[in-house]
Amino acid sequence: MLPLRFYDRFIIGLAVAGALSLALITIAIIVDVVLRNTGFRPFQWTSAVVEYVMLFSTMAAAPWLVRTNGHVAISSFMEMLPRPLRQLAGRVVVIAAIVTLGLLCWRSAAVGMQMVASRAVDMRSINIPSWVLYAMLSGGFGLMALEFLRLLLRGEIYTGTGGGH
Amino acid sequence: MAWYEAALLMVGGLLFLMFFGMPVAIAFLAINIVGVYIFMGGMIGIDQLVANATTAVTSFALVPVPLFLIMGELLFHTGLAIRVFDALDKCFGGIKGRLSYLTVGGGTIFATLSGSSMANTAMLGTTLMPDMIKRGYKPHMIMGPILATGGLAMIIPPSSLAVLLGSLARIDVGALLIAGLIPGLILALMFAATIRLQIAADPEAAPGYAAERASFSEIVRALVVDVLPMGIVVFAVVGLILLGWATPTESAAFGAFSVVALAAFYGKLSWDAVVRSMKGTLTVSAMMLMIIVGSTTFSQILAFSGASSGLIAFATGFELNAYLILLAMFLVLIILGMFMDQLSIMMLTLPIFMPLVGLYNFDPIWFGVIMLLALELSLVTPPFGLLLFVMVGVSPQGTRIGHVARAAIPYIACTLLLVLILTLFPQLALWLPGMIRS
């Protein structure tokens, strides 16, 4: 189905954007230090953009991590449970995750809208509209909730076995 | 609600969700929603939680976490780390237990170059283990040193975990990174001495065989070509901080850049290596930072509900000696480490531990090193130490977790001894950071 294929590519594309943004801040920091130490004026936006990328890369990769079981979870106790009970507990956990993330997606969007209405500004090394951070959170939480919903609809449970920690 | 009820709801609820397999980050978010709803005024509390989440990771102090990861992943995927091992291998010659010593020597250097214990253990396990088995080393002489040096990455700078601990506990990140250097090197020496003692006690544990003896010129060439240039990476990270030329964040960026430059110089910078490194970095970085996003309000709720002050008053009510309090904190870390990852342990314990550290006049940087050592130990304490599982994963079929855990015991003893030494002589950790300050 085309919309689903588009959605799959979107989740992976976001993760790629997250990785690219980390590479870009590495370069930005180096350029900043070199400029500062060679008598040039460093860019004013560097530290603000670097700080925003930290949240962007996290929220952009978070839905992909749900898909790849990359968020760390304690599986040892679940493994001790009999299979039917483990499945049941796993389903309950997935539903609880959807509710939690859905609620946070909604509240982040609501607070973000208030920020738009009040034209609030986040003052860092440059001024950035405050809604930007809330939009990242709302989008990230919402897509994570969708990924858990995808697990639920497929009858799968979250295992956390793909964690790279 | 009484403080102990609040503490039980928050801490007990969190552990309950975690044990049922909810991802740690989401378990923190879920219990925080319950907490803010009860203690911080309903929906307004949830909005406050969201506001806190926006500032949780948008901090310049946390930037070294992904940058150190990029560095370690690139070293691993471009094959630069293996070159260091091959060069060191030539230096050891036919010494008995050569590969065990090589594990400690190479592992310490790799720990100085990368920030990840898991990458360290996996790399040492997959590269050295097959050769050691083929040569007839007893399993404990293989797994013990690999597990031990895997944990060194946590203390020897650059350590992602030290950056996280520093920024979460409001300890000077640069000072904490540097403070781990001398204790880390002492620990590496203790590991080498342990191997020597194990071979003395059981000469059959490591085979005596005539390794191919490299000529002096070959050794010099290997060191100059493969090991010496790595000094650039060490200088970029540790040197720039020591000299006060760059902040930890900036030095981390230079560290990553120096690995890219070296890999290009050696002709090893392939597109595949870069893609795999960035994928590995994103996986670990986003997983860690998501836990911070999730857990950021946890300490506030503990404070707001009175649970923090109640717990601290309870702990200090016994009027125990400061070192008994330290021992209690150490034991809590070890016990939690048996089933929980390091970051979750930090987020759970720091709101209680840091006020106690202030109350008992412990130096926060010194305490940070002790905490890192406890967290390192927790990686190898049975039954659920994460490195034990990594080791089983890279070991031959039939290796049980019990075998791996037994192999780790002498090295766990070394770490405990180091904690004791640091308690008696705190200056071992504090001298270098003090030098930078002055």
Side-chain angles (χ1 to χ4, degrees), chain A residues 15 19 26 30 36 51 54 72 74 76 93 106-107 124 148 164-165, chain B residues 20 24 26 43 47 57-58 67 118 250 257 278 282 287 339 342 384:
Chain A
T26 313
I30 291 167
R36 199 177 63 215
E51 286 164 1
M54 292 291 283
V72 68
I74 298 171
S76 358
V93 162
W106 166 48
R107 287 322 301 166
R124 298 192 182 229
F148 276 107
H165 187 62
Chain B
F20 276 94
V24 169
I26 299 166
M43 220 49 150
D47 290 354
V57 293
T58 50
L67 301 189
M118 295 291 267
E250 291 166 350
F257 176 72
M278 290 314 294
L282 188 73
M287 180 268 285
F339 50 84
Q342 282 71 33
F384 304 119

PDB file of all heavy atoms in Angstrom, chain A residues 15 19 26 30 36 51 54 72 74 76 93 106-107 124 148 164-165, chain B residues 20 24 26 43 47 57-58 67 118 250 257 278 282 287 339 342 384:
ATOM      1  N   ALA A  15      15.360   9.054  10.568  1.00  0.00           N
ATOM      2  CA  ALA A  15      16.549   8.537  11.257  1.00  0.00           C
ATOM      3  C   ALA A  15      17.816   8.973  10.508  1.00  0.00           C
ATOM      4  O   ALA A  15      18.806   9.384  11.138  1.00  0.00           O
ATOM      5  CB  ALA A  15      16.483   7.022  11.372  1.00  0.00           C
ATOM      6  N   ALA A  19      20.965  11.212  11.920  1.00  0.00           N
ATOM      7  CA  ALA A  19      22.395  10.872  11.844  1.00  0.00           C
ATOM      8  C   ALA A  19      23.168  11.983  11.136  1.00  0.00           C
ATOM      9  O   ALA A  19      24.248  12.390  11.581  1.00  0.00           O
ATOM     10  CB  ALA A  19      22.576   9.543  11.121  1.00  0.00           C
ATOM     11  N   THR A  26      29.145  18.172  14.353  1.00  0.00           N
ATOM     12  CA  THR A  26      30.578  17.935  14.566  1.00  0.00           C
ATOM     13  C   THR A  26      31.373  18.942  13.740  1.00  0.00           C
ATOM     14  O   THR A  26      32.296  19.596  14.245  1.00  0.00           O
ATOM     15  CB  THR A  26      30.963  16.498  14.133  1.00  0.00           C
ATOM     16  OG1 THR A  26      30.018  15.591  14.689  1.00  0.00           O
ATOM     17  CG2 THR A  26      32.351  16.126  14.587  1.00  0.00           C
ATOM     18  N   ILE A  30      33.779  22.276  15.015  1.00  0.00           N
ATOM     19  CA  ILE A  30      35.186  22.419  14.604  1.00  0.00           C
ATOM     20  C   ILE A  30      35.402  23.771  13.915  1.00  0.00           C
ATOM     21  O   ILE A  30      36.336  24.512  14.242  1.00  0.00           O
ATOM     22  CB  ILE A  30      35.603  21.253  13.674  1.00  0.00           C
ATOM     23  CG1 ILE A  30      35.641  19.948  14.490  1.00  0.00           C
ATOM     24  CG2 ILE A  30      36.965  21.507  13.044  1.00  0.00           C
ATOM     25  CD1 ILE A  30      35.730  18.706  13.661  1.00  0.00           C
ATOM     26  N   ARG A  36      37.327  30.930  15.964  1.00  0.00           N
ATOM     27  CA  ARG A  36      37.579  31.669  17.204  1.00  0.00           C
ATOM     28  C   ARG A  36      39.073  31.818  17.465  1.00  0.00           C
ATOM     29  O   ARG A  36      39.532  32.852  17.922  1.00  0.00           O
ATOM     30  CB  ARG A  36      36.903  30.930  18.359  1.00  0.00           C
ATOM     31  CG  ARG A  36      36.692  31.782  19.595  1.00  0.00           C
ATOM     32  CD  ARG A  36      35.960  31.009  20.655  1.00  0.00           C
ATOM     33  NE  ARG A  36      36.729  29.858  21.093  1.00  0.00           N
ATOM     34  CZ  ARG A  36      36.196  28.695  21.456  1.00  0.00           C
ATOM     35  NH1 ARG A  36      34.889  28.510  21.394  1.00  0.00           N
ATOM     36  NH2 ARG A  36      36.945  27.716  21.859  1.00  0.00           N
ATOM     37  N   GLU A  51      22.591  22.699  20.109  1.00  0.00           N
ATOM     38  CA  GLU A  51      21.702  22.268  21.203  1.00  0.00           C
ATOM     39  C   GLU A  51      20.366  21.756  20.656  1.00  0.00           C
ATOM     40  O   GLU A  51      19.838  20.744  21.128  1.00  0.00           O
ATOM     41  CB  GLU A  51      21.477  23.436  22.174  1.00  0.00           C
ATOM     42  CG  GLU A  51      22.698  23.717  23.044  1.00  0.00           C
ATOM     43  CD  GLU A  51      22.676  25.075  23.732  1.00  0.00           C
ATOM     44  OE1 GLU A  51      21.685  25.824  23.560  1.00  0.00           O
ATOM     45  OE2 GLU A  51      23.655  25.382  24.425  1.00  0.00           O
ATOM     46  N   MET A  54      20.537  18.248  19.244  1.00  0.00           N
ATOM     47  CA  MET A  54      20.520  17.165  20.234  1.00  0.00           C
ATOM     48  C   MET A  54      19.093  16.623  20.407  1.00  0.00           C
ATOM     49  O   MET A  54      18.889  15.415  20.462  1.00  0.00           O
ATOM     50  CB  MET A  54      21.038  17.670  21.585  1.00  0.00           C
ATOM     51  CG  MET A  54      22.504  18.007  21.589  1.00  0.00           C
ATOM     52  SD  MET A  54      23.538  16.562  21.439  1.00  0.00           S
ATOM     53  CE  MET A  54      23.435  15.912  23.086  1.00  0.00           C
ATOM     54  N   VAL A  72      16.363   0.660  25.103  1.00  0.00           N
ATOM     55  CA  VAL A  72      16.751  -0.366  26.069  1.00  0.00           C
ATOM     56  C   VAL A  72      15.569  -0.703  26.991  1.00  0.00           C
ATOM     57  O   VAL A  72      14.796   0.166  27.396  1.00  0.00           O
ATOM     58  CB  VAL A  72      17.998   0.095  26.876  1.00  0.00           C
ATOM     59  CG1 VAL A  72      17.687   1.252  27.784  1.00  0.00           C
ATOM     60  CG2 VAL A  72      18.608  -1.046  27.655  1.00  0.00           C
ATOM     61  N   ILE A  74      14.364  -3.867  30.116  1.00  0.00           N
ATOM     62  CA  ILE A  74      14.820  -5.013  30.921  1.00  0.00           C
ATOM     63  C   ILE A  74      13.998  -6.232  30.514  1.00  0.00           C
ATOM     64  O   ILE A  74      12.783  -6.260  30.710  1.00  0.00           O
ATOM     65  CB  ILE A  74      14.640  -4.728  32.425  1.00  0.00           C
ATOM     66  CG1 ILE A  74      15.491  -3.519  32.821  1.00  0.00           C
ATOM     67  CG2 ILE A  74      15.018  -5.937  33.270  1.00  0.00           C
ATOM     68  CD1 ILE A  74      15.217  -3.012  34.225  1.00  0.00           C
ATOM     69  N   SER A  76      14.963  -9.519  31.265  1.00  0.00           N
ATOM     70  CA  SER A  76      15.249 -10.723  32.052  1.00  0.00           C
ATOM     71  C   SER A  76      14.030 -11.257  32.810  1.00  0.00           C
ATOM     72  O   SER A  76      13.808 -12.468  32.862  1.00  0.00           O
ATOM     73  CB  SER A  76      16.371 -10.448  33.029  1.00  0.00           C
ATOM     74  OG  SER A  76      16.873  -9.162  32.908  1.00  0.00           O
ATOM     75  N   VAL A  93       1.926  -3.680  28.028  1.00  0.00           N
ATOM     76  CA  VAL A  93       3.013  -2.698  27.987  1.00  0.00           C
ATOM     77  C   VAL A  93       2.906  -1.846  26.721  1.00  0.00           C
ATOM     78  O   VAL A  93       3.040  -0.617  26.758  1.00  0.00           O
ATOM     79  CB  VAL A  93       4.390  -3.411  28.056  1.00  0.00           C
ATOM     80  CG1 VAL A  93       5.507  -2.498  27.573  1.00  0.00           C
ATOM     81  CG2 VAL A  93       4.679  -3.870  29.479  1.00  0.00           C
ATOM     82  N   TRP A 106      -0.106  14.965  22.419  1.00  0.00           N
ATOM     83  CA  TRP A 106      -1.201  15.932  22.485  1.00  0.00           C
ATOM     84  C   TRP A 106      -0.795  17.156  23.315  1.00  0.00           C
ATOM     85  O   TRP A 106      -0.920  18.296  22.873  1.00  0.00           O
ATOM     86  CB  TRP A 106      -2.442  15.246  23.075  1.00  0.00           C
ATOM     87  CG  TRP A 106      -3.526  16.197  23.491  1.00  0.00           C
ATOM     88  CD1 TRP A 106      -4.026  17.236  22.761  1.00  0.00           C
ATOM     89  CD2 TRP A 106      -4.215  16.198  24.745  1.00  0.00           C
ATOM     90  NE1 TRP A 106      -4.992  17.889  23.482  1.00  0.00           N
ATOM     91  CE2 TRP A 106      -5.140  17.269  24.705  1.00  0.00           C
ATOM     92  CE3 TRP A 106      -4.172  15.401  25.877  1.00  0.00           C
ATOM     93  CZ2 TRP A 106      -5.983  17.568  25.756  1.00  0.00           C
ATOM     94  CZ3 TRP A 106      -5.029  15.689  26.937  1.00  0.00           C
ATOM     95  CH2 TRP A 106      -5.921  16.763  26.871  1.00  0.00           C
ATOM     96  N   ARG A 107      -0.243  16.926  24.522  1.00  0.00           N
ATOM     97  CA  ARG A 107       0.100  18.057  25.389  1.00  0.00           C
ATOM     98  C   ARG A 107       1.240  18.896  24.794  1.00  0.00           C
ATOM     99  O   ARG A 107       1.260  20.123  24.924  1.00  0.00           O
ATOM    100  CB  ARG A 107       0.477  17.585  26.804  1.00  0.00           C
ATOM    101  CG  ARG A 107      -0.660  17.101  27.665  1.00  0.00           C
ATOM    102  CD  ARG A 107      -1.944  17.854  27.531  1.00  0.00           C
ATOM    103  NE  ARG A 107      -1.868  19.288  27.843  1.00  0.00           N
ATOM    104  CZ  ARG A 107      -2.794  20.176  27.538  1.00  0.00           C
ATOM    105  NH1 ARG A 107      -3.892  19.807  26.903  1.00  0.00           N
ATOM    106  NH2 ARG A 107      -2.657  21.451  27.859  1.00  0.00           N
ATOM    107  N   ARG A 124      18.612  31.870  23.109  1.00  0.00           N
ATOM    108  CA  ARG A 124      19.901  31.181  23.264  1.00  0.00           C
ATOM    109  C   ARG A 124      20.943  32.064  22.582  1.00  0.00           C
ATOM    110  O   ARG A 124      20.807  33.287  22.625  1.00  0.00           O
ATOM    111  CB  ARG A 124      19.834  29.791  22.642  1.00  0.00           C
ATOM    112  CG  ARG A 124      18.785  28.933  23.362  1.00  0.00           C
ATOM    113  CD  ARG A 124      18.850  27.491  23.010  1.00  0.00           C
ATOM    114  NE  ARG A 124      17.777  26.787  23.709  1.00  0.00           N
ATOM    115  CZ  ARG A 124      17.934  25.680  24.402  1.00  0.00           C
ATOM    116  NH1 ARG A 124      19.107  25.112  24.485  1.00  0.00           N
ATOM    117  NH2 ARG A 124      16.911  25.098  25.015  1.00  0.00           N
ATOM    118  N   PHE A 148       4.344   1.974  18.104  1.00  0.00           N
ATOM    119  CA  PHE A 148       3.832   0.982  19.065  1.00  0.00           C
ATOM    120  C   PHE A 148       2.475   0.449  18.604  1.00  0.00           C
ATOM    121  O   PHE A 148       2.179  -0.731  18.759  1.00  0.00           O
ATOM    122  CB  PHE A 148       3.734   1.582  20.469  1.00  0.00           C
ATOM    123  CG  PHE A 148       5.036   1.532  21.228  1.00  0.00           C
ATOM    124  CD1 PHE A 148       5.778   2.671  21.443  1.00  0.00           C
ATOM    125  CD2 PHE A 148       5.538   0.321  21.709  1.00  0.00           C
ATOM    126  CE1 PHE A 148       6.998   2.621  22.131  1.00  0.00           C
ATOM    127  CE2 PHE A 148       6.745   0.258  22.393  1.00  0.00           C
ATOM    128  CZ  PHE A 148       7.470   1.412  22.599  1.00  0.00           C
ATOM    129  N   GLY A 164      21.706  -1.061  21.433  1.00  0.00           N
ATOM    130  CA  GLY A 164      23.148  -1.074  21.186  1.00  0.00           C
ATOM    131  C   GLY A 164      23.942  -0.639  22.395  1.00  0.00           C
ATOM    132  O   GLY A 164      25.096  -0.297  22.293  1.00  0.00           O
ATOM    133  N   HIS A 165      23.271  -0.634  23.560  1.00  0.00           N
ATOM    134  CA  HIS A 165      23.945  -0.102  24.728  1.00  0.00           C
ATOM    135  C   HIS A 165      25.042  -1.042  25.219  1.00  0.00           C
ATOM    136  O   HIS A 165      24.827  -2.232  25.306  1.00  0.00           O
ATOM    137  CB  HIS A 165      22.916   0.094  25.835  1.00  0.00           C
ATOM    138  CG  HIS A 165      23.464   0.784  27.040  1.00  0.00           C
ATOM    139  ND1 HIS A 165      23.956   2.049  26.975  1.00  0.00           N
ATOM    140  CD2 HIS A 165      23.613   0.392  28.309  1.00  0.00           C
ATOM    141  CE1 HIS A 165      24.373   2.398  28.179  1.00  0.00           C
ATOM    142  NE2 HIS A 165      24.184   1.415  29.007  1.00  0.00           N
TER     143      HIS A 165
ATOM    144  N   PHE B  20       8.382  -5.248  33.726  1.00  0.00           N
ATOM    145  CA  PHE B  20       7.469  -5.849  32.751  1.00  0.00           C
ATOM    146  C   PHE B  20       7.856  -5.496  31.315  1.00  0.00           C
ATOM    147  O   PHE B  20       7.058  -5.643  30.402  1.00  0.00           O
ATOM    148  CB  PHE B  20       6.020  -5.479  33.083  1.00  0.00           C
ATOM    149  CG  PHE B  20       5.453  -6.409  34.116  1.00  0.00           C
ATOM    150  CD1 PHE B  20       5.490  -6.090  35.455  1.00  0.00           C
ATOM    151  CD2 PHE B  20       4.940  -7.644  33.749  1.00  0.00           C
ATOM    152  CE1 PHE B  20       5.014  -6.967  36.419  1.00  0.00           C
ATOM    153  CE2 PHE B  20       4.464  -8.529  34.700  1.00  0.00           C
ATOM    154  CZ  PHE B  20       4.502  -8.190  36.040  1.00  0.00           C
ATOM    155  N   VAL B  24      12.832   1.606  29.019  1.00  0.00           N
ATOM    156  CA  VAL B  24      13.176   2.419  30.188  1.00  0.00           C
ATOM    157  C   VAL B  24      12.709   3.873  30.037  1.00  0.00           C
ATOM    158  O   VAL B  24      12.120   4.448  30.953  1.00  0.00           O
ATOM    159  CB  VAL B  24      14.705   2.353  30.425  1.00  0.00           C
ATOM    160  CG1 VAL B  24      15.148   3.380  31.443  1.00  0.00           C
ATOM    161  CG2 VAL B  24      15.113   0.948  30.869  1.00  0.00           C
ATOM    162  N   ILE B  26      10.303   5.131  28.274  1.00  0.00           N
ATOM    163  CA  ILE B  26       8.844   5.295  28.330  1.00  0.00           C
ATOM    164  C   ILE B  26       8.328   4.984  29.737  1.00  0.00           C
ATOM    165  O   ILE B  26       7.365   5.598  30.204  1.00  0.00           O
ATOM    166  CB  ILE B  26       8.178   4.428  27.244  1.00  0.00           C
ATOM    167  CG1 ILE B  26       8.683   4.911  25.883  1.00  0.00           C
ATOM    168  CG2 ILE B  26       6.653   4.536  27.303  1.00  0.00           C
ATOM    169  CD1 ILE B  26       8.398   3.985  24.751  1.00  0.00           C
ATOM    170  N   MET B  43      -3.289  18.493  35.049  1.00  0.00           N
ATOM    171  CA  MET B  43      -2.846  18.717  33.668  1.00  0.00           C
ATOM    172  C   MET B  43      -1.708  19.730  33.569  1.00  0.00           C
ATOM    173  O   MET B  43      -0.837  19.621  32.707  1.00  0.00           O
ATOM    174  CB  MET B  43      -4.045  19.191  32.842  1.00  0.00           C
ATOM    175  CG  MET B  43      -4.102  18.607  31.471  1.00  0.00           C
ATOM    176  SD  MET B  43      -3.896  16.824  31.462  1.00  0.00           S
ATOM    177  CE  MET B  43      -4.847  16.424  30.048  1.00  0.00           C
ATOM    178  N   ASP B  47       1.905  19.530  31.513  1.00  0.00           N
ATOM    179  CA  ASP B  47       2.490  20.560  30.646  1.00  0.00           C
ATOM    180  C   ASP B  47       3.886  20.954  31.130  1.00  0.00           C
ATOM    181  O   ASP B  47       4.781  21.237  30.329  1.00  0.00           O
ATOM    182  CB  ASP B  47       1.576  21.800  30.589  1.00  0.00           C
ATOM    183  CG  ASP B  47       0.289  21.506  29.830  1.00  0.00           C
ATOM    184  OD1 ASP B  47       0.190  20.390  29.260  1.00  0.00           O
ATOM    185  OD2 ASP B  47      -0.609  22.358  29.797  1.00  0.00           O
ATOM    186  N   VAL B  57      17.703  17.713  26.912  1.00  0.00           N
ATOM    187  CA  VAL B  57      18.903  17.346  26.151  1.00  0.00           C
ATOM    188  C   VAL B  57      19.436  18.484  25.284  1.00  0.00           C
ATOM    189  O   VAL B  57      20.463  18.328  24.636  1.00  0.00           O
ATOM    190  CB  VAL B  57      18.657  16.100  25.259  1.00  0.00           C
ATOM    191  CG1 VAL B  57      18.428  14.883  26.114  1.00  0.00           C
ATOM    192  CG2 VAL B  57      17.548  16.314  24.274  1.00  0.00           C
ATOM    193  N   THR B  58      18.713  19.613  25.274  1.00  0.00           N
ATOM    194  CA  THR B  58      19.215  20.732  24.467  1.00  0.00           C
ATOM    195  C   THR B  58      20.289  21.471  25.265  1.00  0.00           C
ATOM    196  O   THR B  58      20.146  22.650  25.589  1.00  0.00           O
ATOM    197  CB  THR B  58      18.079  21.699  24.086  1.00  0.00           C
ATOM    198  OG1 THR B  58      17.356  22.014  25.279  1.00  0.00           O
ATOM    199  CG2 THR B  58      17.143  21.107  23.070  1.00  0.00           C
ATOM    200  N   LEU B  67      29.306  12.671  20.107  1.00  0.00           N
ATOM    201  CA  LEU B  67      30.604  12.858  19.439  1.00  0.00           C
ATOM    202  C   LEU B  67      31.612  11.774  19.834  1.00  0.00           C
ATOM    203  O   LEU B  67      32.342  11.250  18.988  1.00  0.00           O
ATOM    204  CB  LEU B  67      31.161  14.251  19.739  1.00  0.00           C
ATOM    205  CG  LEU B  67      30.285  15.431  19.302  1.00  0.00           C
ATOM    206  CD1 LEU B  67      31.024  16.748  19.447  1.00  0.00           C
ATOM    207  CD2 LEU B  67      29.838  15.280  17.852  1.00  0.00           C
ATOM    208  N   MET B 118      30.570  -1.391  25.575  1.00  0.00           N
ATOM    209  CA  MET B 118      30.022  -2.493  24.780  1.00  0.00           C
ATOM    210  C   MET B 118      30.877  -2.710  23.535  1.00  0.00           C
ATOM    211  O   MET B 118      31.226  -3.838  23.195  1.00  0.00           O
ATOM    212  CB  MET B 118      28.587  -2.169  24.340  1.00  0.00           C
ATOM    213  CG  MET B 118      27.625  -2.060  25.457  1.00  0.00           C
ATOM    214  SD  MET B 118      27.326  -3.636  26.225  1.00  0.00           S
ATOM    215  CE  MET B 118      25.898  -4.153  25.322  1.00  0.00           C
ATOM    216  N   GLU B 250      34.042  20.665  22.655  1.00  0.00           N
ATOM    217  CA  GLU B 250      34.869  21.008  21.488  1.00  0.00           C
ATOM    218  C   GLU B 250      35.942  19.947  21.260  1.00  0.00           C
ATOM    219  O   GLU B 250      36.220  19.565  20.125  1.00  0.00           O
ATOM    220  CB  GLU B 250      35.500  22.384  21.703  1.00  0.00           C
ATOM    221  CG  GLU B 250      34.453  23.494  21.658  1.00  0.00           C
ATOM    222  CD  GLU B 250      34.960  24.823  22.200  1.00  0.00           C
ATOM    223  OE1 GLU B 250      36.051  24.856  22.785  1.00  0.00           O
ATOM    224  OE2 GLU B 250      34.250  25.812  22.043  1.00  0.00           O
ATOM    225  N   PHE B 257      36.956  14.314  14.503  1.00  0.00           N
ATOM    226  CA  PHE B 257      37.588  14.775  13.262  1.00  0.00           C
ATOM    227  C   PHE B 257      38.955  14.107  13.059  1.00  0.00           C
ATOM    228  O   PHE B 257      39.311  13.719  11.950  1.00  0.00           O
ATOM    229  CB  PHE B 257      37.736  16.303  13.302  1.00  0.00           C
ATOM    230  CG  PHE B 257      38.455  16.864  12.118  1.00  0.00           C
ATOM    231  CD1 PHE B 257      37.829  16.897  10.873  1.00  0.00           C
ATOM    232  CD2 PHE B 257      39.749  17.337  12.221  1.00  0.00           C
ATOM    233  CE1 PHE B 257      38.498  17.399   9.768  1.00  0.00           C
ATOM    234  CE2 PHE B 257      40.422  17.840  11.128  1.00  0.00           C
ATOM    235  CZ  PHE B 257      39.790  17.873   9.893  1.00  0.00           C
ATOM    236  N   MET B 278      27.786   5.912  11.683  1.00  0.00           N
ATOM    237  CA  MET B 278      26.737   6.875  12.006  1.00  0.00           C
ATOM    238  C   MET B 278      25.476   6.158  12.486  1.00  0.00           C
ATOM    239  O   MET B 278      24.769   6.646  13.364  1.00  0.00           O
ATOM    240  CB  MET B 278      26.419   7.772  10.793  1.00  0.00           C
ATOM    241  CG  MET B 278      27.512   8.766  10.437  1.00  0.00           C
ATOM    242  SD  MET B 278      28.191   9.683  11.840  1.00  0.00           S
ATOM    243  CE  MET B 278      26.801  10.668  12.375  1.00  0.00           C
ATOM    244  N   LEU B 282      23.900   6.806  16.120  1.00  0.00           N
ATOM    245  CA  LEU B 282      22.514   7.263  16.289  1.00  0.00           C
ATOM    246  C   LEU B 282      21.744   6.320  17.212  1.00  0.00           C
ATOM    247  O   LEU B 282      20.988   6.761  18.077  1.00  0.00           O
ATOM    248  CB  LEU B 282      21.831   7.344  14.922  1.00  0.00           C
ATOM    249  CG  LEU B 282      20.455   7.988  14.941  1.00  0.00           C
ATOM    250  CD1 LEU B 282      20.574   9.489  15.155  1.00  0.00           C
ATOM    251  CD2 LEU B 282      19.696   7.717  13.661  1.00  0.00           C
ATOM    252  N   MET B 287      19.048   6.425  22.017  1.00  0.00           N
ATOM    253  CA  MET B 287      18.532   5.603  23.112  1.00  0.00           C
ATOM    254  C   MET B 287      18.863   6.245  24.463  1.00  0.00           C
ATOM    255  O   MET B 287      18.007   6.360  25.335  1.00  0.00           O
ATOM    256  CB  MET B 287      19.145   4.206  22.984  1.00  0.00           C
ATOM    257  CG  MET B 287      18.733   3.210  24.008  1.00  0.00           C
ATOM    258  SD  MET B 287      19.844   3.204  25.390  1.00  0.00           S
ATOM    259  CE  MET B 287      21.224   2.349  24.684  1.00  0.00           C
ATOM    260  N   PHE B 339      20.453  -5.533  37.478  1.00  0.00           N
ATOM    261  CA  PHE B 339      19.345  -5.714  36.531  1.00  0.00           C
ATOM    262  C   PHE B 339      18.983  -4.447  35.763  1.00  0.00           C
ATOM    263  O   PHE B 339      18.011  -4.412  35.036  1.00  0.00           O
ATOM    264  CB  PHE B 339      18.101  -6.270  37.241  1.00  0.00           C
ATOM    265  CG  PHE B 339      17.726  -5.530  38.475  1.00  0.00           C
ATOM    266  CD1 PHE B 339      16.964  -4.392  38.386  1.00  0.00           C
ATOM    267  CD2 PHE B 339      18.131  -5.968  39.731  1.00  0.00           C
ATOM    268  CE1 PHE B 339      16.613  -3.703  39.516  1.00  0.00           C
ATOM    269  CE2 PHE B 339      17.781  -5.281  40.870  1.00  0.00           C
ATOM    270  CZ  PHE B 339      17.012  -4.147  40.773  1.00  0.00           C
ATOM    271  N   GLN B 342      23.118   1.538  33.168  1.00  0.00           N
ATOM    272  CA  GLN B 342      23.803   2.571  33.957  1.00  0.00           C
ATOM    273  C   GLN B 342      23.059   3.904  34.010  1.00  0.00           C
ATOM    274  O   GLN B 342      22.991   4.532  35.053  1.00  0.00           O
ATOM    275  CB  GLN B 342      25.206   2.829  33.377  1.00  0.00           C
ATOM    276  CG  GLN B 342      26.232   1.795  33.726  1.00  0.00           C
ATOM    277  CD  GLN B 342      25.984   0.503  33.012  1.00  0.00           C
ATOM    278  OE1 GLN B 342      25.505   0.513  31.898  1.00  0.00           O
ATOM    279  NE2 GLN B 342      26.290  -0.605  33.636  1.00  0.00           N
ATOM    280  N   PHE B 384      22.707 -10.239  35.826  1.00  0.00           N
ATOM    281  CA  PHE B 384      22.265  -9.560  34.606  1.00  0.00           C
ATOM    282  C   PHE B 384      23.259  -8.539  34.051  1.00  0.00           C
ATOM    283  O   PHE B 384      22.885  -7.685  33.267  1.00  0.00           O
ATOM    284  CB  PHE B 384      20.910  -8.870  34.840  1.00  0.00           C
ATOM    285  CG  PHE B 384      19.844  -9.792  35.318  1.00  0.00           C
ATOM    286  CD1 PHE B 384      19.238  -9.598  36.556  1.00  0.00           C
ATOM    287  CD2 PHE B 384      19.466 -10.880  34.558  1.00  0.00           C
ATOM    288  CE1 PHE B 384      18.265 -10.464  37.008  1.00  0.00           C
ATOM    289  CE2 PHE B 384      18.492 -11.749  35.001  1.00  0.00           C
ATOM    290  CZ  PHE B 384      17.887 -11.545  36.231  1.00  0.00           C
TER     291      PHE B 384
END
